[in-house]
Amino acid sequence: MNILVTGGAGFIASHVTDLYIAEGYNVLIVDDLSSGSEKNLNPKAKFVKMDIRDAKIRDLIKENHIEVVNHHAAQLKVRDSVENPLNDADINIKGILNILEVIKTHPLKKFIFASSGGAVYGEADVIPTPETFMPRPLSPYGIAKLASEKYLFYYHKNFGLSYTALRYANVFGPRQDPFGEAGVVAIFAKKMLKNETPVINGDGLQTRDYVFVKDVAAANLAVLEKDYCGEINIGTAQEINVNDLAETLKKETGYLGEIKHGEAKLGEQKRSCLNISKAKKILNWEPKYYLSQGLKETVKYFKKNL
């Protein structure tokens, strides 16, 4: 099977690519390297440096006889989306539409979309949050993810596209960017290993559902052979607050310094945790890594690579 992975030089998609190749699939990576890194590229994958908004990507899909698109390329920063919603929409909505338009002349077997559970649901009243909860995103980033899901449904109904949108919880693990705004595990691990003071936004009682990247890659593999069209949560159904996460990382890294609290970020969700019953039933998938195991692997990676 020939699979196109957009954003394949990035954190999550590079792990997905590695697993696809290990399973014997042929992978073409398209990435403009604006946030991804060449060092994440699997040498057995074909790589083309290209923006997902480039019209040439459609020819690339046809020429390489792509059967499945795994779409991870995106503008990733929630705060950037708030500051510049036009740019966020240009990349995250125009980008997916540019690829979806190819199916009118080159039908795909499957389209897998990396969506966001936390960003799409917003401040949910039901925890853990099921896919049936009415989405109410609080950021342009979340709005674009939800809009992309709606476009997928449109192409499904009108052009027969088979798709699955995987709504991720907070993904963490090796290769995550420790210098960005998101990815608290990577950011705190880097600071603690460098003996720098980590800063928690607000009181630290906000909770998240942290899912290890290798489990996420396994979900992307499981969905390949499934006919299900719609949205599926990928998380752990377990929540931990930032204070407790920081203390756990402190023990794992051996950090002896203090942990400070800064100002709370406007609009930040208090709780986010995903119900994964649907993933268990439809994909026969559930996370294999406990948080403690994932943190050990992540810290080990940063010790070696920082």
Side-chain angles (χ1 to χ4, degrees):
M1 187 183 292
N2 299 322
I3 305 175
L4 167 64
V5 178
T6 69
F11 162 46
I12 300 173
S14 65
H15 285 276
V16 174
T17 297
D18 289 349
L19 187 54
Y20 281 172
I21 288 175
E23 291 295 320
Y25 295 111
N26 301 315
V27 177
L28 167 66
I29 293 172
V30 168
D31 198 306
D32 66 359
L33 300 179
S34 57
S35 59
S37 172
E38 287 187 81
K39 68 182 181 181
N40 292 338
L41 292 170
N42 189 302
K44 293 183 179 179
K46 180 179 179 181
F47 170 61
V48 176
K49 185 179 180 182
M50 182 182 290
D51 192 302
I52 55 172
R53 294 167 291 182
D54 192 325
K56 293 178 182 177
I57 197 170
R58 299 185 208 172
D59 294 328
L60 202 63
I61 291 172
K62 295 176 183 179
E63 292 165 2
N64 288 272
H65 308 289
I66 296 300
E67 299 163 89
V68 173
V69 171
N70 184 294
H71 186 51
H72 275 76
Q75 190 292 116
L76 300 170
K77 298 178 180 178
V78 174
R79 289 173 201 160
D80 281 6
S81 80
V82 173
E83 294 173 5
N84 193 346
L86 284 173
N87 181 63
D88 183 81
D90 189 57
I91 298 172
N92 290 352
I93 295 179
K94 184 178 177 181
I96 191 172
L97 280 174
N98 186 42
I99 299 171
L100 286 173
E101 277 293 280
V102 77
I103 70 167
K104 293 177 180 179
T105 55
H106 180 84
L108 296 168
K109 289 183 178 179
K110 187 79 175 180
F111 195 106
I112 302 168
F113 175 58
S115 190
S116 170
V120 165
Y121 293 123
E123 201 69 69
D125 299 324
V126 181
I127 299 290
T129 310
E131 292 85 351
T132 52
F133 182 82
M134 182 65 70
R136 44 194 192 196
L138 297 172
S139 67
Y141 172 80
I143 293 168
K145 288 292 188 184
L146 183 59
S148 295
E149 292 181 6
K150 299 301 183 184
Y151 275 116
L152 286 166
F153 179 77
Y154 162 77
Y155 279 88
H156 167 62
K157 286 296 184 182
N158 289 278
F159 303 104
L161 175 67
S162 177
Y163 79 93
T164 306
L166 299 177
R167 290 177 171 172
Y168 297 156
N170 285 57
V171 187
F172 75 99
R175 301 178 193 162
Q176 189 168 26
D177 180 12
F179 300 100
E181 63 160 46
V184 66
V185 172
I187 293 169
F188 281 10
K190 185 268 293 185
K191 284 187 174 294
M192 289 177 180
L193 289 171
K194 286 184 169 291
N195 203 34
E196 299 170 353
T197 304
V199 179
I200 294 172
N201 299 326
D203 59 17
L205 296 178
Q206 57 270 38
T207 68
R208 295 294 182 266
D209 179 345
Y210 294 96
V211 59
F212 192 53
V213 69
K214 289 184 179 179
D215 281 326
V216 173
N220 279 268
L221 179 64
V223 78
L224 272 182
E225 302 299 332
K226 301 297 181 181
D227 294 328
Y228 178 79
C229 286
E231 298 73 42
I232 299 179
N233 289 338
I234 301 298
T236 68
Q238 302 291 324
E239 58 184 326
I240 182 174
N241 69 47
V242 181
N243 290 332
D244 290 342
L245 178 71
E247 287 299 324
T248 303
L249 273 170
K250 188 174 181 180
K251 294 174 184 175
E252 195 61 47
T253 58
Y255 177 66
L256 299 177
E258 62 178 337
I259 298 172
K260 291 186 176 181
H261 287 260
E263 291 186 8
K265 298 295 181 182
L266 290 175
E268 184 174 15
Q269 291 172 233
K270 287 300 294 182
R271 297 178 72 189
S272 179
C273 183
L274 305 184
N275 184 310
I276 58 171
S277 299
K278 198 172 182 180
K280 291 179 180 179
K281 180 179 179 180
I282 294 174
L283 302 181
N284 194 28
W285 172 94
E286 60 182 313
K288 297 291 191 292
Y289 286 80
Y290 291 109
L291 179 62
S292 58
Q293 293 174 290
L295 291 178
K296 283 183 183 295
E297 283 209 22
T298 305
V299 169
K300 182 179 178 181
Y301 169 83
F302 283 117
K303 281 181 177 178
K304 182 178 179 181
N305 290 278
L306 276 180

